[in-house]
Amino acid sequence: MIETFKKEVKLGLDNNPKTLPSKYFYNKIGDALFVEIMNLPEYYLTRSELDIFQNRTQELISGLQLKANAHFELIELGAGDGLKTKKLLSALDKQDFTFDYLPIDISSNALSLLKKDLSETLPNVSVKTQQGDYFEILASLKNSNKPKVILFLGSNIGNMKDAWAAEFIYNLGANLKPGDKLLLGVDLIKPKEIVLPAYNDNKGITAKFNLNLLHRMNEELGADFNLENFKHQPEYNEAEGVAKSFIVSIVKQTVNIKSIGVSYSFEAEEKIHTEISRKYNDALIEKIIANTDFSLDTKILDSKGYFADYILTRH
């Protein structure tokens, strides 16, 4: 893992303009900060999808065409703390569905906390945590004859450019069988007055979350980033429906990364692009799945129409 971290940091900072992968936001500190973010008043995304899982649970179950007497695998990509999924798990448990819940996450810490919580709150649910790369784990599960439902929630697909998202969904399909389902949660295109504060909260928690990436590089890669010399900067293009996050150098400076033996110079106001958060509508979703093995079945909205859970079937 550390070798991959080093390689991807070097690759990103060698770019012009510089980039860093957002997946490295998540460690023990990052996980805790993101839980804080999800509870912030500005961060509507979690509340919006939670609204669906809490108040339209039966529509999700019906849309996924789940059968109580058929053992299936419920596989969640990037499970985190499972806040929303627990509502679905609880409903399935109460209705005596037979299934295994397989949360996949890069964070062993998040998986450990999730498994402990579920063992106490939903002891009858079969939980089989999976740490690592989505596709490596899906490939290992491919030969199972059980029907599969993939959950990819939280608009995580929005962290990819459209071409990458299309390739990602195509690769999901390659690891599934006809009739398997994908529940894809996406944030919908909205005015900047709603979107931008979600990435720039008044308490500065999102800024800490983003800058934690530099702290992590200091701790794990022997870098000497002075966090006081950098700031978090979100931007949103409403016409494109794309939000971006940057770490910006406040001053002209040089940073050394000991473990990879490289120094990087930054100009004042130079940006490091860390994350994209794509917003969607029906036309964009149809375009992204056009050359995949999925067809669109159902769209379920939250009460404000901010967020959608699309149900796709592998044909």
Side-chain angles (χ1 to χ4, degrees), residues 190-258:
K190 288 177 292 303
K192 65 181 178 181
E193 290 78 15
I194 298 169
V195 173
L196 204 51
Y199 303 96
N200 197 25
D201 63 279
N202 285 330
K203 289 185 176 180
I205 307 299
T206 311
K208 284 184 186 176
F209 176 66
N210 280 260
L211 292 172
N212 179 56
L213 176 49
L214 304 186
H215 175 71
R216 186 174 178 186
M217 289 164 64
N218 286 349
E219 292 284 309
E220 298 179 32
L221 303 184
D224 59 1
F225 285 95
N226 180 347
L227 272 60
E228 297 296 320
N229 289 339
F230 291 88
K231 65 181 179 180
H232 161 63
Q233 182 172 302
E235 299 175 6
Y236 178 59
N237 184 317
E238 191 176 322
E240 292 180 6
V242 176
K244 294 179 180 178
S245 290
F246 298 91
I247 293 172
V248 180
S249 178
I250 298 170
V251 298
K252 185 173 182 177
Q253 59 185 309
T254 299
V255 174
N256 306 295
I257 305 178
K258 187 176 178 181

Side-chain angles (χ1 to χ4, degrees), residues 11 42 56 142 145 154 198 201 209 284:
L11 192 66
E42 297 96 333
R56 307 192 71 176
K142 190 175 180 180
N145 290 321
D201 63 279
F209 176 66
L284 281 166

Side-chain angles (χ1 to χ4, degrees), residues 3-22:
E3 289 303 316
T4 305
F5 189 17
K6 285 175 6 183
K7 180 181 175 184
E8 293 187 357
V9 163
K10 185 176 188 308
L11 192 66
L13 293 181
D14 284 345
N15 278 339
N16 185 19
K18 295 179 174 73
T19 64
L20 285 170
S22 61

